[in-house]
Each structure stands twice: as C-alpha cells, then as structure tokens.
Amino acid sequence: MRVLIKNGIVVNADGQARQDVLIESGHIRQVAPAINPELPCETLDAEGCYVMPGGIDVHTHFNIDVGIARSCDDFFTGTRAAACGGTTTIIDHMGFGPAGCKLRHQLEVYHGYAAHKAVIDYSFHGVIQHINHAILDEIPMMVEEGISSFKLYLTYQFKLNDDEVLQALRRLKDAGALTTVHPENDAAIARKRAEFIASGKTAPMYHALSRPLECEAEAIARMINLAHLSGDAPLYIVHLSNGLGLDYLRLARAQHQPVWVETCPQYLLLDERSYQAEDALKFILSPPLRNVREQDKLWCGIADGAVDVVATDHCTFSMEQRQRLSGGDFSRCPNGLPGVENRLLLLFSHGVMSGRISPERFVALTSANPAKLFGLWPHKGQIAPGADGDIVIIDPRRTTTIRHENLHDNADYSPWEGMVCQGEIRQTLSRGNTVFRDGKFTGSPGQGRYLRRKPFKHPVP
C-alpha cells in the first residue's frame, strides 16, 4: 500500500518545511518538496495542515487492577482512543502482580491483555514490586526481550525502601535499562490521610491536602540522590505536578546527572479548584491537581526545555465506579484520569497555538523525546526515510470542543468536558494505515504490534 501526503507542513523536532511524504509498505520512503510517484497511491491533501510524527504516550494504564477496581479501558478501547487523538504508540505501565511473583509474570499477563486487541503499536514498562537476587537476575533477560525501562514505586502497596531502590538502580543501569519512578513520600502521606480520616474529613479536597507537593518533591530529591549514589544511574520522573520538584531536577542537570522528567496535561491545565466542584470525585488522581502557580512553573519548564515529555497517565475509572466504591470518601476512591485521546490537541492548542512553544518543541515533547528515551528511535518519533509511517495531521484553522460523547474511550465522563481547543486532529496513520479520519475511527483490533525496545542509550541533545 502506498500513501502520498501532499502540501502539508512537515514538522520534526529539529525543523519544519512544506514537503510531501510518501509511505510504502508501512514505512516512510521519501520526504521531499514535491513527490511524483511512479506507481499508483492514495493521495491525502494536507494543505494548510501540520504533518507531524504520530504521538508516543509513554504513560498509560490499560486494564489495570488496583485491588479495589479494574480500570474500564482495555487495550482495545484505550488504543482506539489514543489513535483517534493522534497517538500511534503507547508504552503501558504494567500493574502489580501477586505478592512474590517473578519479574516476568506481569509481562506474560500483559501480552495476553494486548494481543489481538491493540489498534496501534505498543510496549510495556517492567514493574519492580520487591527485590531479591532472583528478581535482580531477571532484569537483563527482560531487557533482551525488549523491556528496557522499569518502574519503581515509593508509595502504594508494593513500595520499595531506599536499600531496595539502590539495588534496583544499580542493576538496571548495568543491564541497559532506564529507571522510572512514582515519587511520593509514603510515610508523610499515610500520616496525613490517617489524621484527616480520623477527623471525618473525607471529601475529595482532602485527597489533595493529604498529598501536598512537598511529599512529591522530597521523593524526587531522594531519588536523584540515590541515582547519583548508584553511579549516576539514568532516572526518569513520571507525572511531575509541581515546581519544587522541577527545581530539584534543574539542580541535578546542572551537575550533568542523567535525569529526565515528564508531566501531563492535567497538571498544566486543571487545578485544585476542581476538588470543590460537585463532581470532584472525577478528579482524584495521584499526585493530585495543584494550584495555578504550580501550573505556571511547569509551563516554564515546557518552554525552556526542563520538561522532556508530556504523557497522560491515562487510568480510567468511571464515575459510576468512583461513586459506588467510595461513597464520597476520597480514601476509598480509585485514582486516575482519562486523557489519552486529548493529549496532543490540548498541548497543541494551549502550547503551540497560544505561542508558548513552537511546533518543533511540540513534536519533541510528544514524540521525538519519548522515542529516544525509550528505545524506539529512529523508527518512531520522526518523519524521515526509513521511519515507520506513523503520522498525525493537525488542522490549526479549525476548533474542537471536547465532548465525551465524541470520544472513544470506555469512560462515562471527560475531565476536559466543554473545553474549546484551537486545532483539530484530522487524520491518524499507523504504519501507513489510516486509523482515524475526520471524526471516525477506521482501525481494527489486532493491528498494533508489540515493540521490542532497544536498551537505554543516553539521547543526544
């Protein structure tokens, strides 16, 4: 199959130009100012539109079981929503397995979840929920199977202590893997939660008050220091929500420490006032939403290069689930927000169209940097000969009003309901196949491939 995209503005992280793009057999064959193919092909006119690499969302939670509930998006509905929002690759953070299970246990489970369901290409992050010699010995074998990043938690059921973190960091570095971490101070959170609950303060606002930004920032600083003690093991901070944590990351980078950070649209565009709304249960996630001052600090990091990636942490529990399980008590409400379909358009509208960032910086945050950090470059993250034919076409002249009734996930609400975005996702191609066009999903389950990712390599600036 051949596809020719004509007359668009092709944008990569290192520049943009008015060019045509020819895709053959799932790969980009040619990028040039004017392409006249010798053989018949489908022609797409992208006049007035940006033609960009398909988005890479490196932080999703599809089909995750959190003990009290299972998220309502599986690998079909989740990747369908991603495709309809211009994302062509996801890397899913696998949930915890049974206590004491082998490291590869969850990999086998998740292969079962995703096979024959995923609409777009996918991979997984390993999850380390306890440390012993057997677990550490499994890490190199997992890297050989294409799992080149692993997640540690400093809170929740299977949190690791500092000694366990040090052991993990060292072995992951030696094996060619990137350590990702959910950083929150578990002891401080547990103390504050217990005090609020004992006082009968269980409204959604107390979820945010029980997890103040200092709990997140302290854990970020601790992880940075532990990574340095581990021979400067490469470290990636997930879902940053505050400026103090970003300050610690800037300090580490000033010392040339290999540390990277992602944030999410909810921390850029939503704030703690959501917890005062009648439907406040919809906004419970961890870390919680912060105030507008923290938003401004994150936008500064987006603009000046301190933030490397914008992902989503898509983890969907319906409002029905939240109400039934919690009865309005934040401590019994499952955590997480939907958003995999809205990431690109939200950042395009509030970043590019507002003048905060360039189109090139947008591509870096949503596609190129994720590809480089997580072993997918150069086949993903760029529009260049030899790369996969993963493309999103965005029309900046149109506007989109986000309505859940028009979205493609399996939730029963959107945190972005009614938000007006400047721009429209016009078409998404995954390896040259159109999976979304003009508001309609056109893909099918099983089209997505499992991606064996390369060992971690420090990306070239």
Side-chain angles (χ1 to χ4, degrees):
M1 186 177 67
R2 298 173 184 84
V3 178
L4 176 62
I5 305 172
K6 292 187 68 66
N7 305 320
I9 302 170
V10 174
V11 185
N12 281 307
D14 60 355
Q16 61 173 288
R18 187 181 177 91
Q19 293 178 307
D20 296 348
V21 180
L22 179 64
I23 303 171
E24 287 189 0
S25 302
H27 300 283
I28 296 171
R29 179 182 176 186
Q30 187 179 2
V31 182
I35 298 174
N36 297 302
E38 299 176 357
L39 298 173
C41 61
E42 177 186 5
T43 300
L44 307 177
D45 187 359
E47 179 70 40
C49 297
Y50 288 111
V51 179
M52 295 173 161
I56 301 173
D57 191 343
V58 295
H59 194 158
T60 63
H61 293 281
F62 298 150
N63 212 48
I64 190 172
D65 185 347
V66 296
I68 61 172
R70 184 179 292 276
S71 64
C72 59
D73 274 316
D74 63 11
F75 276 83
F76 171 60
T77 63
T79 58
R80 177 182 64 185
C84 294
T87 289
T88 52
T89 301
I90 60 100
I91 306 179
D92 198 79
H93 281 283
M94 299 186 289
F96 295 131
C101 68
K102 293 182 178 180
L103 192 58
R104 67 171 298 107
H105 176 277
Q106 286 302 88
L107 178 59
E108 294 170 357
V109 168
Y110 271 70
H111 273 308
Y113 288 162
H116 312 299
K117 285 194 172 184
V119 171
I120 57 175
D121 292 350
Y122 63 93
S123 187
F124 310 113
H125 303 281
V127 58
I128 298 178
Q129 58 192 64
H130 64 282
I131 292 290
N132 57 35
H133 290 301
I135 292 294
L136 295 173
D137 289 344
E138 280 188 82
I139 289 173
M141 293 182 286
M142 293 273 282
V143 174
E144 289 179 5
E145 294 184 42
I147 304 297
S148 56
S149 53
F150 293 76
K151 191 173 188 179
L152 317 180
Y153 287 83
L154 302 188
T155 189
Y156 297 142
Q157 178 184 1
F158 290 107
K159 62 183 179 293
L160 301 184
N161 62 37
D162 289 354
D163 176 60
E164 292 168 327
V165 168
L166 280 166
Q167 293 182 65
L169 283 164
R170 290 169 179 168
R171 185 57 63 91
L172 289 168
K173 177 178 182 287
D174 291 344
L178 176 62
T179 300
T180 78
V181 63
H182 176 128
E184 288 185 289
N185 186 305
D186 184 74
I189 291 168
R191 169 57 56 191
K192 295 186 75 66
R193 280 167 60 93
E195 291 172 350
F196 284 139
I197 293 168
S199 301
K201 297 177 179 178
T202 58
M205 175 59 77
Y206 292 100
H207 169 72
L209 295 174
S210 71
R211 308 179 93 97
L213 67 86
E214 290 82 4
C215 290
E216 181 187 6
E218 181 279 330
I220 289 171
R222 179 159 35 107
M223 280 300 307
I224 288 171
N225 287 322
L226 292 174
H228 180 62
L229 290 172
S230 303
D232 277 345
L235 179 65
Y236 180 90
I237 304 296
V238 304
H239 53 46
L240 178 72
S241 73
N242 73 88
L244 180 58
L246 188 58
D247 288 342
Y248 290 139
L249 286 153
R250 292 182 192 275
L251 286 172
R253 285 190 175 155
Q255 301 300 316
H256 307 291
Q257 192 171 337
V259 182
W260 297 269
V261 62
E262 77 177 27
T263 191
C264 308
Q266 54 266 33
Y267 301 120
L268 297 170
L269 300 171
L270 301 176
D271 63 69
E272 63 187 3
R273 289 172 293 184
S274 297
Y275 297 121
Q276 297 172 340
E278 185 177 348
D279 58 354
L281 282 175
K282 292 180 180 179
F283 300 96
I284 289 185
L285 77 163
S286 297
L289 303 176
R290 308 296 186 190
N291 59 49
V292 293
R293 294 186 301 278
E294 302 308 316
Q295 283 184 354
D296 290 342
K297 294 171 185 176
L298 294 177
W299 274 113
C300 288
I302 290 283
D304 68 18
V307 173
D308 303 285
V309 172
V310 174
T312 62
D313 194 13
H314 179 101
C315 187
T316 305
F317 299 96
S318 68
M319 190 60 173
E320 185 279 329
Q321 283 176 297
R322 292 167 183 265
Q323 292 171 327
R324 172 170 46 83
L325 292 168
S326 72
D329 182 340
F330 81 86
S331 67
R332 300 201 300 266
C333 184
N335 283 218
L337 295 187
V340 71
E341 187 167 349
N342 307 119
R343 175 183 67 125
L344 292 191
L345 193 54
L346 288 168
L347 187 62
F348 181 82
S349 178
H350 293 273
V352 177
M353 297 306 292
S354 73
R356 283 177 165 130
I357 59 174
S358 67
E360 292 90 338
R361 176 72 175 136
F362 172 87
V363 169
L365 289 162
T366 61
S367 190
N369 288 350
K372 292 174 182 178
L373 285 166
F374 291 97
L376 298 172
W377 185 270
H379 299 294
K380 305 288 188 184
Q382 64 172 335
I383 297 177
D388 288 352
D390 294 349
I391 302 286
V392 58
I393 301 174
I394 302 179
D395 190 337
R397 301 162 297 185
R398 301 184 182 181
T399 59
T400 301
T401 301
I402 298 176
R403 302 287 186 195
H404 184 261
E405 63 186 19
N406 299 324
L407 299 180
H408 298 82
D409 59 35
N410 208 31
D412 57 2
Y413 79 98
S414 170
W416 313 104
E417 187 71 26
M419 184 172 286
V420 178
C421 295
Q422 182 63 45
E424 179 184 78
I425 305 295
R426 199 171 100 181
Q427 191 158 344
T428 307
L429 292 86
S430 173
R431 286 181 283 110
N433 298 304
T434 295
V435 290
F436 176 80
R437 186 200 301 260
D438 298 327
K440 302 291 185 182
F441 171 65
T442 58
S444 59
Q447 283 182 287
R449 302 175 305 176
Y450 168 68
L451 302 174
R452 297 174 65 97
R453 296 183 287 121
K454 293 178 288 187
F456 174 78
K457 182 179 180 180
H458 195 305
V460 176

